[in-house]
Amino acid sequence: MNSLKLITISVSVILSFLLLIFIIYFLTKKFKSKLNNDGRLKVSFGIWYAALFLSGSNVISVVINTVTEVIDNLIKINPKKFNLQLVQSISLITGVGFIWFVLWFFVIKFLINTIRLKVDEHQEMEDDNISYFIIKAAMLIGLVFSLSSLLSLILRTLIPNVEVPFYH
């Protein structure tokens, strides 16, 4: 069973990082000018991409910790359709984790708009406004890291439970 656990966690980590890069691609796709005039990557885009990746990696860390608990519980329960139950549980936990990540992305977007009126992210990226993206990145990283324990609690509610028999 240890080899099953190792393989499942490895596949979960690889697929989670691929999904994270895919989500970050779609969240940053709207920026048309990611490069300077000399062909180098803009510092503001690098800061924002790094913040998204760091926040997403923290979410993946919480998700993988929960996945290990799912595997342990399913091994103890040993249901008839073990593989199906394993895939369903891991998919649900990973999906909720990434919904959490995207939710905080939009919350940061809302908070930035309430703090500073009339912000055009495309123009800020075009102007390579480093300070704007540092503030935005710090807000995202701070919220995701500070609320990771709450995410862990939410994900633990999705774990299949081991029922302990009560004897008199």
Side-chain angles (χ1 to χ4, degrees), residues 68-81:
T68 58
E69 291 179 25
V70 164
I71 295 168
D72 289 338
N73 283 357
L74 284 177
I75 289 172
K76 291 174 187 170
I77 294 171
N78 199 9
K80 291 182 181 178
K81 297 181 180 177

Side-chain angles (χ1 to χ4, degrees), residues 133-152:
F133 285 100
I134 286 176
I135 291 169
K136 195 172 176 181
M139 289 175 70
L140 180 67
I141 291 170
L143 275 174
V144 169
F145 272 81
S146 64
L147 296 173
S148 63
S149 59
L150 180 62
L151 174 63
S152 178

Side-chain angles (χ1 to χ4, degrees), residues 16 19-28 30 48 51-60 63 93-111 121 136 140 143-144 147 151:
S16 295
L19 183 61
L20 175 65
I21 291 171
F22 186 68
I23 289 172
I24 291 174
Y25 169 75
F26 278 111
L27 293 178
T28 60
K30 64 184 176 188
W48 184 231
L52 288 171
F53 190 80
L54 187 61
S55 300
S57 297
N58 184 27
V59 169
I60 289 174
V63 165
I93 288 170
T94 306
V96 169
F98 281 107
I99 288 171
W100 178 267
F101 172 68
V102 172
L103 172 78
W104 288 114
F105 172 82
F106 287 116
V107 167
I108 293 301
K109 197 174 203 178
F110 172 75
L111 288 176
E121 286 188 335
K136 195 172 176 181
L140 180 67
L143 275 174
V144 169
L147 296 173
L151 174 63

